[in-house]
Amino acid sequence: MDGLVEFRTGDGAVVTVEAAEERSGSRLVSRGDGTVQATRTFEGALDGVRAAAESALRVFRDGSLKPDGVEIEFGVKLSAEAGAFIAKGTAEGHLVVKLSWSPSAQQAGAPEAGAAS
């Protein structure tokens, strides 16, 4: 297990997460129980992931596809120094995108071909 990092939320609550291993040469000093205090708030750590999600949604909502629904799934890792980042999954980065379309109201109300009226 990687270390634990405590993030404070904007309203002062503490969120403890299992953190990604820090690969840099420097290490943060942890308490006796191995928990490290994060250098930013929980919300601040997630700012970059939120921006990535907003950008990805714009890409799939704008343009020719025009889906009725868009689901984007990020694997997110949290680090005391780096904050949140998109985790490496089975490929180079973990990102799952699901697009959905519903029949239009006009198509849904139309009788099926060959149906008697």
Side-chain angles (χ1 to χ4, degrees):
M1 175 170 94
D2 293 329
L4 298 177
V5 176
E6 282 187 355
F7 289 89
R8 291 219 176 261
T9 64
D11 62 1
V14 175
V15 178
T16 303
V17 298
E18 181 180 358
E21 179 181 338
E22 300 287 346
R23 302 223 189 274
S24 63
S26 63
R27 297 276 185 227
L28 295 174
V29 178
S30 64
R31 298 188 321 219
D33 65 358
T35 303
V36 173
Q37 297 294 314
T39 57
R40 55 181 90 176
T41 64
F42 186 66
E43 295 89 347
L46 293 172
D47 279 344
V49 176
R50 180 180 58 215
E54 288 170 349
S55 181
L57 282 172
R58 248 189 327 274
V59 167
F60 291 107
R61 284 185 176 154
D62 299 343
S64 62
L65 293 177
K66 305 276 189 236
D68 294 322
V70 178
E71 287 183 39
I72 297 178
E73 176 184 315
F74 290 93
V76 176
K77 288 190 177 185
L78 294 163
S79 159
E81 291 177 323
F85 53 94
I86 299 171
K88 180 177 179 180
T90 55
E92 286 303 307
H94 180 79
L95 175 66
V96 176
V97 178
K98 296 179 183 179
L99 306 176
S100 61
W101 291 265
S102 300
S104 70
Q106 186 179 36
Q107 289 176 332
E112 293 182 32
S117 28

